[in-house]
Amino acid sequence: MNRLEVKNLACERGGRLLFSNISFSLNPGAVLVIEGRNGAGKTTLLRMLAGLRSIEDGVVSFDGLSIEQLADAYYQQMAYLGHLNAVKYDLTVSENLKFAQQLSTVVSNIDDALHKVGLDGYQDTLSRHLSAGQKRKLALARLLCIHKRLWILDEPFTSLDKSSIAMFEGLIHEHVSQGGMVIITTHHPINLPDSILLRLTL
Amino acid sequence: MHLRAFGAVIVRDLLLAFRHKSELVNSIAFFILVVSLFPLGVGADIALLRKIAPGVIWVAALLATFLSLDQLFRSDYEDGCLELILMSPHPVSLIVLAKIMAHWMLTGVPLTLIAPLLAGMYGLENSSIAVLMLTLLIGTPILSLIGAIAIALTVGLRKGGVMLALLILPFYVPVLIFATAAIDAQIAGFPVSGQINMLLALLALALTLSPWPTAVALKMSLS
């Protein structure tokens, strides 16, 4: 069964212990909200879970194997959205999504994804002409058109308006109800049923 | 599956370069300026020009490539696309090789095609120009491949410029020596196969040994 397990994760940065003894397990159908004050190490934790930062102490395993062993196999299951949108300004909206798809194994329709995030009709617009919120939406649309079980989202609601946040909460709900998993940090109160929410405070 | 990703990266990088031409034109313009200013400065002594031609053209090509290298991973690093690429289910070294190939198509190939036009100013004969083009064709991808390692190491630094030069230029010297030696040998009427074979060996070495450390260095720069 797909499940993410974290045991005794610790991280030190600049001679300071950011966090230690982080342990949790995340099953399909659940959303993990990571909370903490500024500088608590939320982004660092997420980057470790995404395999972008090496794990110095502790184990992160997916399906029982550590993510360092899994390497490429883990990346077939995991999508990460960081502070940066990973949107190329000189490519059109659909070219950006198409490139993400070409790097992935299982994909779905670009137009459907754009419809879901409310970017209908922007397919051929150069991404540099989008507003900050629209660029964020484009980054979210990328999650929808590459099929990954686990989403790791670092402040996904930055520069989104209220209705877009509600829309995206709906998409998260839809993803986990189909057996997906989501790990998310956010400063917004998240509006999802408590039955699927787990909370971790750093 | 991996090949499709390889092709996608090349096509994307070429498309981006054609949409954003200034970077593409910069290094080529530099090459043309340096190579065409030299004869004006040195004067119309054809024997002297013929003698310095291989060195001048090759040093200009080398520096033009060096100038263009900074862009190899910079924009992908700044907008987050590098993370996206590193987290794809493909070998990072393969993706890196695709980016290097795209870089070569945008610098090495145009330099090789422009060189014969400029070589006329130095009074090189057609057979020498053919050898010059051959050395550029084999040598410029080596420059891109070696440079990629150093660029990957310094992409996280805000000002990598001087350190980059110190890192890269010593490794460029063998390429410069064998390439210019080949052209000199041709002008003197000797066979050039020895130098060309050395260049080919360097290319094989760079092709097999460069993508892997570049991929490791990129991961280090991101973490």
Side-chain angles (χ1 to χ4, degrees), chain A residues 97-148:
Chain A
L97 295 178
K98 196 150 174 263
F99 176 65
Q101 289 193 328
Q102 284 166 327
L103 289 180
S104 302
T105 38
V106 189
V107 298
S108 57
N109 193 286
I110 288 177
D111 292 339
D112 289 348
L114 287 175
H115 176 68
K116 280 183 183 168
V117 299
L119 283 179
D120 272 318
Y122 283 94
Q123 276 86 339
D124 297 324
T125 308
L126 269 189
S127 305
R128 68 165 65 255
H129 299 314
L130 297 178
S131 74
Q134 285 173 323
K135 281 175 191 138
R136 201 61 178 161
K137 285 184 185 175
L138 173 55
L140 299 174
R142 190 174 57 237
L143 294 174
L144 302 176
C145 57
I146 52 178
H147 271 274
K148 311 274 170 140

Side-chain angles (χ1 to χ4, degrees), chain B residues 110-157:
Chain B
L111 293 188
T112 307
L113 294 177
I114 291 169
L117 304 177
L118 300 170
M121 300 171 76
Y122 291 82
L124 285 186
E125 284 164 17
N126 285 342
S127 50
S128 308
I129 291 176
V131 176
L132 170 71
M133 285 182 78
L134 185 63
T135 57
L136 283 171
L137 193 67
I138 305 169
T140 46
I142 309 177
L143 303 181
S144 299
L145 284 160
I146 296 173
I149 305 176
I151 286 291
L153 278 170
T154 55
V155 74
L157 308 176

Side-chain angles (χ1 to χ4, degrees), chain A residues 3 18 26 48 68 94 103 121 123 134-135 141 161 167:
Chain A
R3 97 188 262 219
L18 271 183
L26 183 67
M48 284 170 111
E68 280 153 332
S94 58
L103 289 180
Q123 276 86 339
Q134 285 173 323
K135 281 175 191 138
D161 57 31
M167 170 273 296

Side-chain angles (χ1 to χ4, degrees), chain A residues 47 86 88 90 95 103-104, chain B residues 19 76 79 83 90 222:
Chain A
R47 289 179 74 85
K88 271 271 172 266
D90 284 326
E95 279 167 350
L103 289 180
S104 302
Chain B
R19 295 243 170 104
D76 280 340
D79 62 20
E83 293 173 354
H90 306 283
L222 273 184

